[in-house]
Amino acid sequence: MKYKKKERQEKLVEMIEETPFITDEELANKFGVSIQTIRLDRLELSIPELRERIKNVANKNWNETVKALPIDEVIGEIVNLELDNLAISILDIKEEHVFSRNQIARGHHLFAQANSLAVAIINDDLALTANAEINFTRPVKLGERVVAKASVTNRNQKRTKINVRSYVQDELVFEGIFKMYRSTEK
Amino acid sequence: MKYKKKERQEKLVEMIEETPFITDEELANKFGVSIQTIRLDRLELSIPELRERIKNVANKNWNETVKALPIDEVIGEIVNLELDNLAISILDIKEEHVFSRNQIARGHHLFAQANSLAVAIINDDLALTANAEINFTRPVKLGERVVAKASVTNRNQKRTKINVRSYVQDELVFEGIFKMYRSTEK
């Protein structure tokens, strides 16, 4: 649906606040305007481009937050992390992630993003995956951006249960329930 | 238990026939002798070293057998493959596969070996993972060799169910049940 400029810019601000990692292309599609129009809107509104928005978030030094592994061993880029509660990471699907034949992302990369997020969320020095149930709900293509959201759903004794849902835009592409061992009880 | 040389060499031949991908170190442990003794035994018996034994098997051109993906996209080295029936691959756990902190293999590498074997076994041009239930039954350490064995357990309509069990020597380290989509029905 088409909005007038003022209305569109108001909605644009709202939308970027709600989903800060939305791309200009996605915004253009949502508003039915060109990417160039979105860029001009952002310029007028002084909203930095996506890369800058991610950097701002990434600048929070997650390295000091993550406990269970060094941050460079996390697959994907962490953009939010509250230990033993929730975590979000972004993975851009590039050539090295896809089957050469059909340009579909290989399952183990989506799994690696989700699994390493499930490790990173643990507020402990040791976290190992005990088991997982996973679903690939729709193929992910080259060039798509996968946002994985992990949340701790249950914790007892030495096990912590973590639900990870990964999305491309609003579409669920992967879902996993991970049960993790950890070194200490609380 | 210790054997006399003749007895040990007979058992060595049997053991290598049964489990051709056993290492000299594993053999030395089994017989309670030094690795050097095993090497001399192999020399006397004209049994090639492990690397050669693997190469002999790998020389069978699996590339012409695999249908669902190019063979260089399989994680691990395929050593046996009967389409829509069974498949075996080997993955040596190196520095790049482990957590730096504890030298334990990261789950997604074991998953990648198993999952790509589940793709390779499919006698079809297209195979995608729909879902999986996986268990990590014991941590795998740097330097260990993981042998993954996949077998098709069920097939109906467009889904094929594949059970993958991965071992280090005789110990189960990973188990996964993969349900795969494929492009054609039979």
Side-chain angles (χ1 to χ4, degrees):
Chain A
M1 103 198 76
K2 283 267 186 186
Y3 295 101
K4 288 186 182 150
K5 179 171 171 181
K6 189 165 175 297
E7 217 179 351
R8 181 182 69 236
Q9 291 195 341
E10 282 169 11
K11 292 209 176 282
L12 190 74
V13 171
E14 269 175 37
M15 201 168 281
I16 290 179
E17 267 171 16
E18 274 169 28
T19 54
F21 306 117
I22 194 165
T23 63
D24 285 349
E25 194 182 347
E26 287 160 15
L27 287 165
N29 286 337
K30 290 222 188 245
F31 290 110
V33 298
S34 70
I35 294 179
Q36 190 54 30
T37 302
I38 296 293
R39 284 191 194 133
L40 289 171
D41 281 347
R42 282 199 296 93
L43 271 177
E44 286 181 27
L45 297 162
S46 303
I47 297 172
E49 60 167 344
L50 175 62
R51 196 180 310 236
E52 289 303 312
R53 298 201 300 272
I54 291 180
K55 230 195 293 178
N56 290 344
V57 181
N59 270 346
K60 273 208 57 176
N61 198 341
W62 298 114
N63 195 24
E64 291 177 9
T65 311
V66 182
K67 285 198 69 175
L69 78 177
I71 199 161
D72 60 358
E73 295 187 5
V74 175
I75 314 294
E77 183 159 12
I78 288 189
V79 292
N80 195 12
L81 176 59
E82 295 172 24
L83 290 176
D84 281 340
N85 184 18
L86 61 87
I88 299 175
S89 80
I90 286 177
L91 180 69
D92 286 318
I93 300 301
K94 299 183 182 152
E95 286 289 348
E96 69 261 32
H97 300 122
V98 301
F99 286 109
S100 60
R101 193 176 285 177
N102 49 28
Q103 313 284 292
I104 291 175
R106 305 192 59 173
H108 66 266
H109 294 298
L110 300 186
F111 177 84
Q113 179 188 18
N115 194 21
S116 65
L117 202 58
V119 172
I121 207 172
I122 299 282
N123 187 12
D124 228 314
D125 290 333
L126 178 73
L128 291 176
T129 310
N131 57 59
E133 283 177 45
I134 59 180
N135 281 289
F136 297 92
T137 48
R138 85 120 157 101
V140 176
K141 292 280 175 67
L142 180 64
E144 289 187 317
R145 158 163 297 161
V146 182
V147 179
K149 301 179 181 182
S151 58
V152 172
T153 56
N154 194 5
R155 182 171 171 191
N156 52 38
Q157 295 167 329
K158 292 202 173 185
R159 297 288 184 95
T160 299
K161 193 164 147 189
I162 294 159
N163 193 315
V164 184
R165 287 160 183 262
S166 302
Y167 298 86
V168 171
Q169 301 188 48
D170 307 328
E171 275 187 277
L172 186 70
V173 296
F174 172 93
E175 184 171 25
I177 295 164
F178 294 84
K179 288 190 193 139
M180 314 292 292
Y181 289 111
R182 58 199 297 159
S183 46
T184 58
E185 298 176 43
K186 269 187 190 161
Chain B
M1 101 198 77
K2 283 266 188 188
Y3 294 101
K4 290 190 179 143
K5 179 173 172 182
K6 190 166 174 296
E7 219 179 350
R8 182 182 69 236
Q9 292 196 341
E10 282 170 11
K11 292 211 176 279
L12 190 74
V13 171
E14 270 174 36
M15 201 168 279
I16 291 180
E17 268 171 15
E18 275 169 28
T19 54
F21 306 118
I22 194 164
T23 63
D24 285 350
E25 194 181 349
E26 287 160 15
L27 286 165
N29 287 337
K30 291 222 186 243
F31 290 110
V33 297
S34 70
I35 294 179
Q36 190 55 30
T37 302
I38 296 293
R39 284 190 194 136
L40 289 172
D41 281 348
R42 281 199 297 93
L43 271 177
E44 287 181 27
L45 297 163
S46 304
I47 298 173
E49 61 167 344
L50 176 63
R51 194 180 310 234
E52 289 303 313
R53 298 202 299 273
I54 291 180
K55 229 195 291 178
N56 291 344
V57 181
N59 269 346
K60 274 207 58 178
N61 198 341
W62 297 114
N63 195 24
E64 292 179 5
T65 310
V66 183
K67 285 196 70 174
L69 78 177
I71 199 159
D72 60 357
E73 295 187 6
V74 175
I75 313 295
E77 183 159 12
I78 288 189
V79 292
N80 196 12
L81 176 59
E82 295 173 24
L83 290 176
D84 281 340
N85 184 19
L86 61 87
I88 299 175
S89 80
I90 286 177
L91 181 69
D92 287 318
I93 300 302
K94 300 184 181 148
E95 287 289 350
E96 68 262 31
H97 300 121
V98 301
F99 286 109
S100 60
R101 192 175 285 177
N102 49 28
Q103 314 283 293
I104 291 174
R106 305 191 60 172
H108 65 266
H109 294 297
L110 300 186
F111 177 83
Q113 179 188 18
N115 193 22
S116 64
L117 202 58
V119 173
I121 207 171
I122 300 282
N123 187 13
D124 229 313
D125 290 334
L126 178 74
L128 291 175
T129 310
N131 56 61
E133 284 177 46
I134 59 179
N135 281 287
F136 297 92
T137 48
R138 84 119 158 103
V140 175
K141 292 278 176 67
L142 180 64
E144 289 187 319
R145 157 163 297 160
V146 182
V147 179
K149 300 178 183 183
S151 58
V152 173
T153 56
N154 194 4
R155 181 171 171 194
N156 53 37
Q157 295 167 330
K158 290 202 174 185
R159 296 288 184 96
T160 299
K161 193 164 149 190
I162 294 159
N163 193 314
V164 184
R165 288 160 182 263
S166 302
Y167 298 85
V168 171
Q169 299 186 52
D170 308 328
E171 276 187 276
L172 186 71
V173 296
F174 172 93
E175 185 171 25
I177 295 165
F178 295 84
K179 287 191 193 137
M180 314 293 292
Y181 290 111
R182 57 198 299 158
S183 46
T184 58
E185 298 176 42
K186 270 183 191 163

